[in-house]
């Protein structure tokens, strides 16, 4: 069975410099026999965390926001991140730090801290 990797581009520029770096990484991953799931973060509707604590209080520890990440654990991105074997995030550097989209992505991964569903899952980044 091929390892599955979610490759997340946080840049709005699908053909920019960071996207080019990610493309090379994807080629290497595929060359090593990995199945790659490309995620262009700007193609999804993702709201900021509302601090409702549904992820802490609920038995399933899922996000209750009705967007592409949450949907009580049924959101496309929520399902993908917990189903893959690893995550690679490619993020351009703006103003000497991570982009707002990158911050938003990691912020919305908060429910996994409570569920433990991604504990020990490898994460790598390109910036």
């Amino acid at each position: 069975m091929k390892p599955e990797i979610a490759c997340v581009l946080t840049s709005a520029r699908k053909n920019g410099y960071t996207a080019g770096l990610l493309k090379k990484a994807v080629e290497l991953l595929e060359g090593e026999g990995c199945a790659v799931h490309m995620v262009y973060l700007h193609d999804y509707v993702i709201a900021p965390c509302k601090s409702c604590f549904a992820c802490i209080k609920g038995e399933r520890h899922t996000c209750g926001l009705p967007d592409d990440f949450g949907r009580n654990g049924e959101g496309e991105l929520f399902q993908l991140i917990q189903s893959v074997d690893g995550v690679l995030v490619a993020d351009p550097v703006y103003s000497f730090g991570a982009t707002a989209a990158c911050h938003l992505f990691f912020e919305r991964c908060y429910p996994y801290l409570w569920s433990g569903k991604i504990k020990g899952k490898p994460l790598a980044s390109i910036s």
Side-chain angles (χ1 to χ4, degrees):
M1 185 160 77
K2 290 182 174 185
E4 296 187 38
I5 311 296
C7 293
V8 181
L9 179 64
T10 63
S11 174
R13 296 176 54 218
K14 290 183 182 179
N15 296 307
Y17 182 75
T18 304
L21 293 173
L22 181 58
K23 182 180 177 183
K24 290 293 184 187
V26 166
E27 290 171 6
L28 291 170
L29 288 168
E30 290 174 336
E32 291 294 321
C34 295
V36 172
H37 301 272
M38 283 299 302
V39 175
Y40 299 103
L41 208 57
H42 285 268
D43 286 350
Y44 294 89
V45 175
I46 307 171
C49 176
K50 305 287 190 225
S51 204
C52 68
F53 299 116
C55 60
I56 297 171
K57 295 176 184 176
E59 277 181 29
R60 294 177 51 224
H61 301 293
T62 59
C63 179
L65 290 179
D67 62 12
D68 292 329
F69 206 103
R71 290 197 183 101
N72 292 316
E74 301 303 319
E76 184 179 342
L77 291 176
F78 192 88
Q79 290 289 314
L80 177 66
I81 297 305
Q82 80 182 23
S83 72
V84 296
D85 300 304
V87 179
L88 173 60
V89 177
D91 185 52
V93 176
Y94 301 151
S95 301
F96 306 103
T99 62
C102 186
H103 279 278
L104 182 59
F105 174 74
F106 284 113
E107 179 180 273
R108 293 299 301 282
C109 287
Y110 189 63
Y112 300 123
L113 293 175
W114 299 97
S115 71
K117 293 197 177 184
I118 64 170
K119 186 175 183 177
K121 190 171 291 199
L123 169 75
S125 66
I126 298 170
S127 58

